[in-house]
Amino acid sequence: MPLEIVTIPCLADNYAYLAHDAATGTTGVIDVPEVTPILNALAARGWKASHILITHHHDDHIAGVETLATATGARVIGAAADAHRLPPLDEAVAEGDSVLLGMGAGRVIEVPGHTVGHIAFHFPDSAVVFTADSLMSCGCGRLFEGTPDQMWESLTKLAALPDETLVCSGHEYTQSNIRFALSVDPENAALKARAARVAALRARGEATVPVTLAEEKATNPFLRATDPGMKARVGLAGAPDAKVFAHLRALKDRF
Ligand code: ZN
Ligand code: FE
């Protein structure tokens, strides 16, 4: 049975997620920007947090980890590479390691770029990947620590997952990301259709995540760095994908 996923708005524009395995009653919490909305979401379903999965060390993803771990006894899992700047870990993981949520087997994918120790958690049987601030909804995280080449390699790994994979990212940034996307990809029909859907969702105050990887591949300008039309539009016809990505990321930083 696939994991049941719950999206929890936190702080101004963060998202935490619950991933629940009904067969065993196991519940993973992915990132803890703050504790109260997560405890409320758990209580509303009669679930208990058994695992906390940390994507990266930024405060808006870990601020509530220790409090939630103490309150629930949940096992805290995060990147070995970042153990020195994460809350105390019960399990330190690296590329390819497995993370078990009951019957749900996940795999750790190292996705440096936004930070050098950023990881994603992919659960193939549930077709879901938790990407936080690496691959984001119609965008990608700002490069605070890593290089454009590192982020491009990270995005390439995520883009290789099956098309139906649900991408659970860390923030509600879709609408502003789409404004940038339209500036470099104005004739993309899938992007224009997505802009209309996202505007309607936001007008109702609803979350625009998660989305399928197929939709990201069709609309996310950073994943479209491989597209000859995109390359030509930004003045880099025939250039390597990583170079086009770096240019798009720089354009977004100034947008
Ligand atoms: Zn971050
Ligand atoms: Fe963040």
Side-chain angles (χ1 to χ4, degrees):
M1 216 167 32
L3 294 165
E4 188 178 335
I5 308 302
V6 178
T7 305
I8 308 173
C10 293
L11 304 176
D13 57 29
N14 275 79
Y15 286 118
Y17 296 90
L18 304 181
H20 178 73
D21 176 46
T24 59
T26 306
T27 304
V29 181
I30 295 83
D31 285 342
V32 190
E34 58 177 333
V35 174
T36 305
I38 293 171
L39 287 176
N40 289 344
L42 288 162
R45 292 162 181 82
W47 298 350
K48 188 172 176 297
S50 53
H51 297 71
I52 296 170
L53 278 51
I54 301 173
T55 61
H56 68 295
H57 77 282
H58 284 158
D59 201 52
D60 62 313
H61 298 259
I62 63 167
V65 167
E66 287 188 83
T67 306
L68 185 67
T70 304
T72 61
R75 181 175 178 76
V76 180
I77 302 169
D82 264 349
H84 61 286
R85 56 180 181 177
L86 292 173
L89 300 177
D90 297 303
E91 195 174 330
V93 294
E95 176 82 19
D97 284 350
S98 327
V99 172
L100 280 179
L101 292 179
M103 306 298 283
R107 190 173 58 90
V108 173
I109 307 175
E110 291 182 345
V111 287
H114 177 68
T115 67
V116 293
H118 200 308
I119 55 177
F121 299 93
H122 178 221
F123 291 85
D125 298 341
S126 301
V128 63
V129 64
F130 299 96
T131 58
D133 299 355
S134 56
L135 175 60
M136 304 188 80
S137 176
C138 213
C140 74
R142 204 175 265 269
L143 302 181
F144 286 117
E145 297 179 355
T147 64
D149 279 353
Q150 280 179 317
M151 181 61 110
W152 177 246
E153 198 189 325
S154 299
L155 295 181
T156 302
K157 284 198 268 186
L158 293 170
L161 300 178
D163 272 354
E164 66 273 18
T165 308
L166 270 185
V167 179
C168 297
S169 55
H171 290 268
E172 183 56 62
Y173 290 164
T174 313
Q175 212 160 15
S176 63
N177 285 345
I178 285 178
R179 278 194 287 276
F180 169 71
L182 284 167
S183 77
V184 290
D185 204 6
E187 302 307 324
N188 182 338
L191 176 60
K192 287 191 272 189
R194 186 174 181 189
R197 281 197 307 278
V198 162
L201 284 168
R202 293 311 292 155
R204 297 196 298 269
E206 290 174 31
T208 64
V209 299
V211 291
T212 64
L213 186 59
E215 180 155 20
E216 285 304 322
K217 283 158 77 174
T219 59
N220 187 316
F222 299 112
L223 297 186
R224 286 172 52 71
T226 58
D227 180 68
M230 175 68 85
K231 293 183 184 194
R233 275 192 303 282
V234 297
L236 289 171
D241 301 342
K243 189 167 176 211
V244 178
F245 166 75
H247 182 66
L248 285 165
R249 187 57 256 183
L251 287 176
K252 175 80 176 1
D253 289 343
R254 297 196 295 271
F255 186 71

